[in-house]
Amino acid sequence: MITGASHGIGLAMTARCLRAGDRVFAVSRDPDRSDALAALAAEAPDRLHPLAADLCDEDAVARLFETVRAHTDTLDALVHCAGLLHDAETGLSPEKRVEDVNLAALQRVFAINGFAPILLARYALPLLRHDRRAVFASLSARVGSIEDNRLGGWYAYRASKAAQNQFLRTFAVEARRRAKNLIVLALHPGTVETGLSAPFRANVPPEKLFSADFAAQCLLRNMENAGEEDSGGFFAWDGAPIPW
């Protein structure tokens, strides 16, 4: 299962997994509006299942997994790629100073970046708990590191990613008891050429600005190479650990 599958890293991951022969449940808010996802579905109609879900709605998340269980009893991997940093239509943007903080923006950013991953974990666990190796991964961000925060600003985004990290760490601890073959990872993709980063990458050196396909390749490699000892860890695109 891949969330945020209609664009950016999620779409690139979906394409790579299909090329590898995998069966993919591609989740987005409105998959019918994605021409790219429709093209992938046309290429692999028997292996790609586009599913619509609002991940900020717990009832919708529960219904999502009811649909998945109609197709399969197990998942080998779940990757949460959906995220929110800004939205031009509503004026949502990263805060530059504390006076820019407001409750509505905090709630909206936390809902998708912080709360959605643990809701997915709550409903996915029965499908991820089996006798094979499984991975639950969620895209975090280096700016969510408390220790690495030296620039300030971006209150909602930073804090929502830090909250996600704690949720994932806690889930990993529980998984050691309840799902011993499950590896839980927080992954930082780097700065990627997607709509999320578009307004903020003017000063990013070319060698540090990645395509969505390259980021997907690196993240899938991290997932493939991760061992039991890595569960509950926070890792960059190149596999290097990131301080909490």
Side-chain angles (χ1 to χ4, degrees):
M1 178 183 285
I2 300 172
T3 74
S6 63
H7 59 277
I9 297 173
L11 179 64
M13 276 194 167
T14 300
R16 279 190 165 269
C17 288
L18 289 173
R19 289 200 298 270
D22 296 333
R23 184 182 185 190
V24 181
F25 296 96
V27 181
S28 68
R29 185 181 291 270
D30 191 356
D32 292 339
R33 296 181 60 184
S34 173
D35 292 340
L37 199 58
L40 291 177
E43 294 174 10
D46 57 331
R47 291 186 291 110
L48 180 61
H49 305 276
L51 300 174
D54 179 355
L55 301 181
C56 300
D57 179 340
E58 184 173 359
D59 290 338
V61 174
R63 289 193 299 271
L64 169 66
F65 283 95
E66 289 176 4
T67 302
V68 172
R69 282 195 295 272
H71 293 275
T72 183
D73 294 328
T74 61
L75 288 173
D76 293 312
L78 188 154
V79 194
H80 177 57
C81 297
L84 178 64
L85 173 58
H86 62 90
D87 182 2
E89 290 186 7
T90 62
L92 177 70
S93 62
E95 307 91 345
K96 294 182 178 179
R97 54 181 190 164
V98 72
E99 287 87 353
D100 297 331
V101 172
N102 69 83
L103 181 59
L106 288 170
Q107 290 173 329
R108 188 176 173 202
V109 173
F110 265 76
I112 189 64
N113 294 343
F115 303 153
I118 198 61
L119 284 177
L120 288 166
R122 181 250 190 270
Y123 287 96
L125 180 59
L127 296 173
L128 293 165
R129 186 172 53 203
H130 45 68
D131 58 3
R132 304 187 308 278
R133 178 184 181 274
V135 177
F136 182 99
S138 187
L139 298 198
S140 186
R142 187 179 294 275
V143 296
S145 167
I146 295 173
E147 184 175 339
D148 193 56
N149 183 359
R150 295 174 178 82
L151 296 177
W154 291 32
Y155 283 88
Y157 190 73
R158 285 183 185 276
S160 66
K161 292 297 187 178
Q164 177 192 149
N165 290 348
Q166 181 67 287
F167 279 133
L168 294 177
R169 180 76 172 195
T170 304
F171 179 47
V173 172
E174 181 174 358
R176 292 188 190 110
R177 300 191 302 269
R178 302 185 58 202
K180 296 186 182 299
N181 295 318
L182 179 59
I183 298 169
V184 180
L185 303 170
L187 299 176
H188 167 58
T191 303
V192 184
E193 291 180 295
T194 65
L196 184 143
S197 70
F200 312 105
R201 59 185 189 228
N203 297 321
V204 178
E207 68 274 11
K208 292 187 177 181
L209 182 60
F210 306 143
S211 70
D213 182 64
F214 177 78
Q217 177 186 21
C218 294
L219 297 171
L220 288 167
R221 184 187 303 124
N222 280 354
M223 292 170 59
E224 182 179 352
N225 293 337
E228 180 182 342
E229 68 281 1
D230 297 315
S231 189
F234 183 18
F235 300 97
W237 60 274
D238 59 358
I242 297 175
W244 296 115

